[in-house]
Amino acid sequence: MHFAICIVGSNTAFDKHLFPKCTVLAMHVAFLVLVDWKTGKYSCAPRYVLGDTAMQKMAQSHVFLSGVGGLGVEIAKNIILAGVKALTVHDTKQCTKWDLGTNFFIHEDDIISQRNRAEATLHHIAELNPYVHVAASTVPLDESTDLSFLKQYQCVILTEVSLSLQKKINDFCHAQQPPIKFISADVYGICSRLFCDFGDEFEVLDTTGEEPKEIFISNITQSNPGIVTCLENHPHRLETGQFLTFREVNGMSCLNGSTHQITVVSPYSFSIGNTSDMEPYLHGGIAVQVKTPKMFYFERLEKQLTNPTCLVADFIKPEAPLQIHVAMLALNHFEENFGRMPNIGCHQDAEEMLKIAMSISETLENKVSNRYDALRACIGESLCQKLHDLNVFLVGCGAIGCEMLKNFALLGVGTGQDKGLVTITDPDLIEKSNLNRQFLFRPHHIQKPKSYTAAEATLNINPCLKIDSYINKVCPATENTYSDEFYTRQDVIVTALDNVEARRYIDSRCVANLRPLIDSGTMGTKGHTEVVVPHLTESYNSHRDPPEEEIPFCTLKSFPAAIEHTIQWARDKFESLFSHKPSLFNKFWQTYPSAEEVLQRIKSGESLEGCFHVIKTLSRRPRNWTQCVELARVKFEKYFSHKALQLLHSFPLDTRLKDGSLFWQSPKRPPFPVKFDFNDPLHYDFIVSAAKLFSTVYCVPFTEQVINTAVVFLFHYLNLFCTKCMYFIPLNTTHLQVVQTDETARKPDHIPVSSEDERNAIFQLEKSILSNEALQNDLEMKPIAFEKDDDSNGHVDFITAASNLRAKMYNIEPADRFKTKRIAGKIIPAIATATAAVSGLVALELIKVVGGYPADAYKNCFLNLAIPIMVFTETAKVRRTEIRNGISFTIWDRWTIYGKEDFTLLDFINAVREKYGIEPTMVVQGVKMLYVPVMPGHIKRLKLT
C-alpha cells in the first residue's frame, strides 16, 4: 500500500465538500503517518505496543517535518510522544486566524505578532517530551533548494507542499543509500491523502504487532502430514502459512526446537508435514508462533500518481479511493496553475475545477474571517452554530478524552453565547505513564486530577469554551450526582473509558433518557467507534462482548502453565500480604479496641469473625529490620520449596488418573523445590523487596544503609535459622483436599478453623499480652495500595521476583520486569496515534448526530493500524418487537399513563387496558414485583395508590 486515500465516515451529505481544508481529519492522517513509518518493526509508539527493538531504532532517528498546519502539528505531537531522537519542524508561513481552528498550539497573540508557525509551536511541541530534541526551521523550501541538507535525516515528512516539490524531494530520498523514508500527507476537509516510499526493498519484522501465540498440545499423529491437536476448548486461531516452533514435547522429542510451516485443518488442529518416521507422541508440548519478516517494495511518487496502490477503507465504496485520488490531483494542478487554492464560493473556480476533474465543490457564502472558517467551509454555518450551542457530557479524560477535548476546542463545541456547555468527569489522578499519550498533561501535573487539569489545558486551546469539570465516577452509586434531569440536559454523551461495566451503565442511562451516545476505545494499535442514536440504532447493551477468560483458581494455586499465571499469582500474593490482610487486621481492632477484651470473649466461647488470622498476624509481627528479613526468608521457603514438596507428596510424578493417563502432563507441570542461594540475584531480590514491604506494613523503620550493612550477616544467620527450624512436614491425608484440581472451582471465601487452631490462638494472644506486644501501636498496620508507576516503592520488584521464582519452580520461561509490570499492572497498551484516530472518527459522528442525519449516515468503525485495516459498517438498526397486530415497541419507546393523586394500581392496569387494548399480567419496577396475581397478598395491592 503506497496511498491511503479516503473520506472518513463518508456519506452523501459530506461527499459534496471535497476540497476546503479542515482539521477533523488531521489526527486521522497523523496516525497513518506514524503507522507507515516502520523502522524495522512497526511504527513509533510506546514500548508495550512495539517492543524494545523498534523503540531503540526510533530513539536514534532524526525526522524532518515540513508544514505545521493542522495536520503537521498532529504529526509532530504524535512523533514527539512516541519518542524519536530529534525532530525538525519546518514552515515558512505566518500564523493566521485560519490556524486557530486547526492548530491547537497557535494562539491569538501569535497572529497579532505575525509569528512563523514553526517558531510559534516549537515550545509547545518540545515540552511534550523533554527527551526529544526539537528545532525549528524557517528557510525557504522550493524547486531551487539544495536538498543535500536532508541527508542527516532518517525520515522526511511533507505536508502542505506542492506536488512538483513532493516529487523532487521523493526522488532525492529514494536515491540515497540507504533510502531516506519519505512520507507526504495532506488533508482537504474530510478528504485525506497519504503516500509512503521506504525504498526499493523494506523489511518488516512483525507484520501484525500481536504477541506470538502459544498453543498447548494434546496430541500429534504419526502420519503424513502430522496433525497437531490443541487442548479441548482452546482454539489455536492460526492461519495457513504461518510458522511454529515446538518445545516441551514428550515422546516426539525431535520436534523440540524445530520450526514448521502449518496448514490449518480445523479451529483446534493443524498439520505440520511428515511425522510418520518420528517416535510416538506421549504427552505435553507447546507450539509457539514464529514471527517471519516480510519484504515490502515501494515505488516513487512519480510512478504511483499514474497507477496508485490504494488502501481501501470503506468496502461499501471500493471505487472511492481512486475517485478522491483524481479529485486531489485536480486540486494540486489547480494550485500549481493559479498559485492558490480554489476560493470558497467562487463559481469561476468551481467551473475550472470541473474542467480538471469530475468531482465538484459546493459553493459557500464568504464569511468574516475567524477561527472556525476551516470548519465552516466543510460543514456550513448552520452546523457550526449547532456545535457551538451543544451540551456534551464527556466521561473519561484519559488518552481518548484528551484528544476529544482538543477536538471540541477546535470545533467550537460549547462556545455559544447563550447555549452550550462541555461537562467532563474523571476520578483518576495523572500518573507518569500517562504522559506519553495523554497530551494535555505535563510532568508538573502528576498526581493532580485529570478532569481539572484537562479542562484548564483545553481553555488554552480555545478560551471561549465553557467547561465544567468533576472528579466523580459514573456508576449507580453516583445517580444523585448525575440524575435523569442532568442527562436530559445533554445533547450528546461521549464515553472514553476502558471499563465495560461503566459503559453499559452509561448506555442504560442514555436509553432511559433518550440521549445519543458515542462510544470509543483503543487497545494498542486497535480501535473502535460506535454511535447510538435514539429511535434509529440499537444500544451498546444490545450486544455483549465475549467474557474475558479468567485463570482457574486451581491453575493459579497449584498448576501454572504460563508466565501469566505466575505473575497473577504474585500479584495476588502482594494484595493478600500487603493490602487485604492488613486491612482486615485494622478493621478487626477497630471493632474490638483491646487485646484483653478479645481474649476474654474467645475464652468464654464467643466466635469472633477473623479472630484466628488476626491473632496469628499479631503473634508473628516483626519489630525490627532483622525480623522483617526473617519473615521474608520464611515466606521464600513456604512458597518456593514447601509448596513443591507438598504437591509432589500428594501427587508423586508417577501418579495416574482413572483413565490410566499421567497426572503430570501438559498443561500440568510438576514443581521442583527451589533451594535458597544467597548468591542468586533472584533470591536476593525477593528477600529484600519482601522485607521492605513487610517493614512498611508493620511500620518498622529502615534505611538503605541498614539494608546494605546488615544483609550479609542476616543471610548467614537465616541460613542457619532455616536449616534448624524450617523442615518440611507434609500434610496428612485429612488435609489433601486443600490441593484443588477442579478447573471450575472458585477460591473459597472462608477457610475453616479447627479447634486446635482456636486453642493455639488463645495461647498466642496470652503470650503477646504478657510480653507487652499487644499494645495500641501493635494493633495497627499500614495497608499498601499497588502502584506500578513508582519504581522506588518496590511493588513491581516483589512481583517480578516472586513470579520468576515460581516460574523457575515450574520450569516456565521467566519474564523481565518490563513484561511483568505490564501484566501485573493490567496496563492496556496504547499509542497516541490510535487514540487520535479514534477521536477524529468520533468527531465526525458527533457532527452527524448534531445535524440530525438519517440512520444510514452513521458509521461504526474498527481499525487496526498494525495491519493496516479500517472497516466501516452501518449501525445496527433498532429492533422492533411485535406484541400483536398494530402494537409494537423498541428499546427507545415509552408508554405514558397520566394519573391523579388517588390513582390506584387497579386504575393503572385499567388505563393500560383501555389505552392499548392489552391485558397486563404483572407489574414490576426494576427488580421489584409490584403485582403478580399468583403471589399471596398481591390482590390487595390493587387498591393501593
Side-chain angles (χ1 to χ4, degrees):
M1 186 271 289
H2 285 70
F3 276 102
I5 305 173
C6 60
I7 301 181
V8 177
S10 61
N11 57 66
T12 308
F14 273 151
D15 287 352
K16 57 192 177 185
H17 299 292
L18 291 180
F19 308 115
K21 290 186 178 178
C22 181
T23 198
V24 292
L25 218 16
M27 67 293 294
H28 176 58
V29 175
F31 88 78
L32 283 173
V33 168
L34 286 179
V35 167
D36 281 321
W37 172 27
K38 308 178 186 80
T39 51
K41 195 180 175 185
Y42 264 83
S43 68
C44 5
R47 291 169 65 191
Y48 285 122
V49 180
L50 303 177
D52 287 338
T53 303
M55 290 298 296
Q56 288 167 3
K57 291 187 177 183
M58 281 174 44
Q60 299 167 4
S61 299
H62 292 69
V63 182
F64 178 81
L65 168 63
S66 180
V68 196
L71 172 60
V73 75
E74 280 286 340
I75 295 171
K77 177 202 71 179
N78 293 341
I79 289 176
I80 291 291
L81 291 175
V84 296
K85 184 172 185 178
L87 171 67
T88 300
V89 289
H90 167 268
D91 207 305
T92 58
K93 297 178 181 178
Q94 291 182 344
C95 300
T96 65
K97 281 277 188 181
W98 186 282
D99 291 312
L100 290 178
T102 58
N103 189 318
F104 46 87
F105 283 152
I106 289 179
H107 304 103
E108 290 279 359
D109 56 340
D110 297 319
I111 299 165
I112 296 171
S113 57
Q114 298 184 334
R115 296 187 70 187
N116 174 277
R117 293 197 301 185
E119 293 175 338
T121 57
L122 177 65
H123 166 71
H124 302 290
I125 293 171
E127 71 175 1
L128 289 171
N129 190 340
Y131 298 103
V132 179
H133 176 72
V134 186
S137 172
T138 61
V139 298
L141 183 62
D142 52 35
E143 301 286 344
S144 62
T145 303
D146 181 3
L147 299 180
S148 59
F149 77 95
L150 293 176
K151 291 182 179 181
Q152 62 184 299
Y153 299 102
Q154 282 74 50
C155 181
V156 171
I157 304 172
L158 304 181
T159 71
E160 301 184 20
V161 173
S162 69
L163 196 59
S164 58
L165 185 54
Q166 287 183 41
K167 289 189 282 189
K168 179 181 177 181
I169 295 175
N170 173 237
D171 288 343
F172 175 84
C173 292
H174 193 100
Q176 303 306 306
Q177 292 297 328
I180 300 171
K181 311 301 183 293
F182 174 86
I183 300 169
S184 65
D186 283 297
V187 170
Y188 302 102
I190 58 165
C191 301
S192 60
R193 174 179 63 197
L194 170 72
F195 171 79
C196 305
D197 178 4
F198 302 149
D200 292 327
E201 292 186 349
F202 181 76
E203 185 180 52
V204 176
L205 301 181
D206 185 349
T207 58
T208 66
E210 301 285 348
E211 287 288 324
K213 295 182 178 70
E214 291 194 356
I215 298 99
F216 288 95
I217 298 168
S218 66
N219 187 51
I220 306 175
T221 63
Q222 270 184 303
S223 56
N224 187 13
I227 305 298
V228 180
T229 305
C230 310
L231 286 180
E232 188 178 358
N233 298 325
H234 289 76
H236 52 69
R237 297 187 175 91
L238 297 171
E239 297 177 7
T240 295
Q242 292 180 327
F243 289 84
L244 299 177
T245 185
F246 292 83
R247 69 169 193 257
E248 302 179 30
V249 177
N250 290 278
M252 211 173 272
S253 56
C254 58
L255 281 177
N256 292 328
S258 63
T259 302
H260 298 263
Q261 190 172 20
I262 66 114
T263 301
V264 172
V265 176
S266 77
Y268 298 93
S269 61
F270 53 86
S271 64
I272 57 170
N274 191 355
T275 59
S276 56
D277 295 333
M278 299 181 186
E279 52 194 307
Y281 171 83
L282 295 178
H283 62 84
I286 299 173
V288 183
Q289 181 186 2
V290 177
K291 295 281 188 174
T292 53
K294 183 176 180 180
M295 195 68 71
F296 287 81
Y297 307 95
F298 290 84
E299 294 178 343
R300 302 187 186 211
L301 179 61
E302 182 77 52
K303 185 172 182 179
Q304 276 289 305
L305 287 174
T306 57
N307 186 23
T309 306
C310 297
L311 170 70
V312 178
D314 188 346
F315 293 100
I316 299 174
K317 300 179 180 178
E319 73 285 352
L322 277 177
Q323 292 175 348
I324 302 169
H325 179 64
V326 172
M328 286 191 160
L329 285 179
L331 191 61
N332 293 136
H333 283 100
F334 184 101
E335 187 176 12
E336 291 188 4
N337 292 342
F338 297 96
R340 61 177 176 82
M341 299 292 284
N343 288 320
I344 299 168
C346 177
H347 290 279
Q348 185 177 351
D349 285 354
E351 290 172 2
E352 187 65 32
M353 280 295 298
L354 275 171
K355 296 176 183 177
I356 302 173
M358 297 297 293
S359 301
I360 63 172
S361 173
E362 184 183 30
T363 58
L364 300 172
E365 289 186 5
N366 287 322
K367 300 291 180 183
V368 177
S369 179
N370 68 16
R371 68 183 301 145
Y372 305 115
D373 280 353
L375 176 65
R376 187 176 290 109
C378 289
I379 66 175
E381 174 63 25
S382 175
L383 264 181
C384 265
Q385 192 57 51
K386 288 181 179 179
L387 286 172
H388 299 342
D389 294 341
L390 201 64
N391 289 331
V392 177
F393 182 32
L394 173 65
V395 186
C397 299
I400 296 177
C402 285
E403 296 285 347
M404 283 310 312
L405 286 171
K406 173 202 68 184
N407 293 347
F408 290 167
L410 297 178
L411 292 169
V413 172
T415 59
Q417 187 171 354
D418 301 316
K419 301 178 184 177
L421 175 68
V422 175
T423 304
I424 64 176
T425 187
D426 195 310
D428 293 340
L429 302 179
I430 297 165
E431 299 177 353
K432 185 178 180 180
S433 60
N434 300 148
L435 300 182
N436 67 2
R437 61 192 183 277
Q438 300 177 18
F439 85 102
L440 293 180
F441 307 140
R442 303 290 182 270
H444 62 272
H445 292 142
I446 291 173
Q447 290 304 300
K448 292 184 178 179
K450 285 186 176 181
S451 59
Y452 297 161
T453 308
E456 183 181 351
T458 306
L459 290 174
N460 288 331
I461 300 174
N462 189 342
C464 298
L465 194 75
K466 290 177 286 183
I467 186 167
D468 284 347
S469 53
Y470 300 92
I471 55 173
N472 302 314
K473 282 187 176 180
V474 181
C475 60
T478 62
E479 283 197 12
N480 293 333
T481 305
Y482 302 112
S483 62
D484 286 339
E485 182 185 358
F486 171 84
Y487 278 92
T488 304
R489 291 199 305 269
Q490 309 307 314
D491 297 307
V492 182
I493 289 86
V494 178
T495 52
L497 300 164
D498 54 15
N499 186 313
V500 174
E501 291 309 313
R503 282 171 164 167
R504 295 200 180 282
Y505 170 72
I506 294 167
D507 176 74
S508 67
R509 299 298 300 275
C510 291
V511 172
N513 294 282
L514 304 179
R515 300 292 98 181
L517 167 71
I518 307 178
D519 177 68
S520 61
T522 64
M523 177 175 286
T525 58
K526 300 172 185 174
H528 82 273
T529 62
E530 181 177 358
V531 59
V532 175
V533 184
H535 304 296
L536 298 182
T537 72
E538 291 281 22
S539 73
Y540 182 87
N541 281 309
S542 299
H543 55 81
R544 289 278 174 178
D545 296 327
E548 291 187 14
E549 290 187 16
E550 289 188 0
I551 303 172
F553 170 64
C554 68
T555 300
L556 283 178
K557 186 171 176 61
S558 304
F559 308 113
I563 193 63
E564 289 80 6
H565 302 161
T566 69
I567 293 173
Q568 186 59 53
W569 173 87
R571 179 74 166 82
D572 291 347
K573 276 286 175 271
F574 180 97
E575 288 297 321
S576 174
L577 291 172
F578 310 120
S579 179
H580 182 63
K581 287 181 179 178
S583 297
L584 292 179
F585 185 89
N586 290 344
K587 184 179 179 181
F588 181 88
W589 292 114
Q590 287 164 4
T591 306
Y592 309 103
S594 73
E596 289 79 6
E597 179 187 338
V598 170
L599 180 61
Q600 185 179 352
R601 287 192 175 199
I602 58 177
K603 276 187 172 181
S604 65
E606 189 174 346
S607 178
L608 307 181
E609 186 178 356
C611 174
F612 169 72
H613 298 289
V614 166
I615 294 174
K616 182 179 175 183
T617 302
L618 177 64
S619 66
R620 298 181 180 182
R621 183 181 186 116
R623 301 176 182 280
N624 53 50
W625 170 250
T626 302
Q627 291 177 357
C628 290
V629 177
E630 183 178 306
L631 181 56
R633 178 67 180 86
V634 170
K635 295 296 183 185
F636 182 101
E637 205 70 16
K638 175 184 177 182
Y639 296 152
F640 311 119
S641 178
H642 291 186
K643 175 67 177 179
L645 293 169
Q646 178 62 55
L647 275 172
L648 294 175
H649 174 80
S650 302
F651 303 103
L653 292 176
D654 58 355
T655 301
R656 293 187 178 272
L657 301 173
K658 291 180 180 178
D659 62 0
S661 61
L662 283 171
F663 177 86
W664 292 110
Q665 62 174 316
S666 182
K668 285 189 177 71
R669 296 166 174 265
F672 296 96
V674 178
K675 182 176 175 57
F676 180 78
D677 181 2
F678 168 72
N679 296 312
D680 190 316
L682 185 58
H683 299 195
Y684 177 90
D685 288 345
F686 175 83
I687 298 294
V688 172
S689 61
K692 284 182 178 180
L693 293 170
F694 281 131
S695 68
T696 301
V697 296
Y698 288 109
C699 306
V700 175
F702 72 93
T703 64
E704 291 298 322
Q705 185 177 4
V706 168
I707 295 173
N708 295 332
T709 56
V711 77
V712 175
F713 167 75
L714 289 173
F715 275 121
H716 175 70
Y717 160 74
L718 288 173
N719 275 337
L720 294 175
F721 165 80
C722 293
T723 302
K724 295 176 181 177
C725 305
M726 295 180 63
Y727 292 113
F728 168 68
I729 302 175
L731 295 174
N732 56 40
T733 53
T734 61
H735 288 83
L736 285 184
Q737 66 268 24
V738 298
V739 182
Q740 180 61 256
T741 59
D742 183 3
E743 288 195 1
T744 63
R746 294 189 170 273
K747 184 177 181 179
D749 294 328
H750 300 286
I751 299 175
V753 178
S754 67
S755 57
E756 181 183 346
D757 289 336
E758 290 177 349
R759 288 193 298 271
N760 190 37
I762 294 174
F763 170 75
Q764 288 176 339
L765 185 55
E766 286 179 332
K767 183 180 177 183
S768 297
I769 293 172
L770 289 173
S771 58
N772 290 324
E773 292 183 345
L775 304 177
Q776 192 60 43
N777 288 343
D778 300 315
L779 307 184
E780 296 177 5
M781 293 178 69
K782 183 182 178 182
I784 297 175
F786 177 69
E787 173 51 63
K788 65 183 182 299
D789 290 320
D790 183 359
D791 291 338
S792 65
N793 62 20
H795 298 187
V796 176
D797 296 333
F798 170 82
I799 292 173
T800 302
S803 167
N804 285 339
L805 279 167
R806 189 167 173 85
K808 184 177 182 180
M809 187 170 87
Y810 282 94
N811 195 27
I812 295 171
E813 191 73 21
D816 59 19
R817 189 181 190 279
F818 178 68
K819 181 176 181 178
T820 303
K821 177 179 177 180
R822 174 176 65 83
I823 296 173
K826 292 181 169 52
I827 297 174
I828 298 176
I831 55 174
T833 48
T835 52
V838 162
S839 67
L841 294 167
V842 169
L844 289 172
E845 297 307 314
L846 176 70
I847 293 171
K848 298 177 192 176
V849 170
V850 172
Y853 282 72
D856 58 1
Y858 301 102
K859 295 288 189 292
N860 295 337
C861 178
F862 171 80
L863 56 89
N864 187 339
L865 315 187
I867 298 178
I869 188 172
M870 182 182 295
V871 178
F872 290 98
T873 62
E874 291 187 357
T875 55
K877 289 183 171 55
V878 64
R879 186 169 59 90
R880 180 165 292 278
T881 301
E882 296 285 339
I883 298 177
R884 60 174 176 75
N885 291 340
I887 299 181
S888 63
F889 69 91
T890 74
I891 58 171
W892 300 104
D893 287 325
R894 298 292 176 272
W895 290 357
T896 305
I897 302 294
Y898 295 96
K900 299 177 182 178
E901 230 177 89
D902 57 351
F903 202 68
T904 65
L905 182 58
L906 180 60
D907 292 333
F908 170 75
I909 292 174
N910 289 335
V912 173
R913 184 186 296 116
E914 182 179 338
K915 186 172 182 178
Y916 297 105
I918 59 176
E919 184 69 35
T921 56
M922 59 189 295
V923 182
V924 300
Q925 181 195 17
V927 296
K928 300 173 185 174
M929 293 188 294
L930 303 183
Y931 174 67
V932 182
V934 297
M935 297 290 287
H938 277 216
I939 296 296
K940 296 178 182 178
R941 295 184 178 182
L942 291 173
K943 298 178 181 179
L944 299 177
T945 56

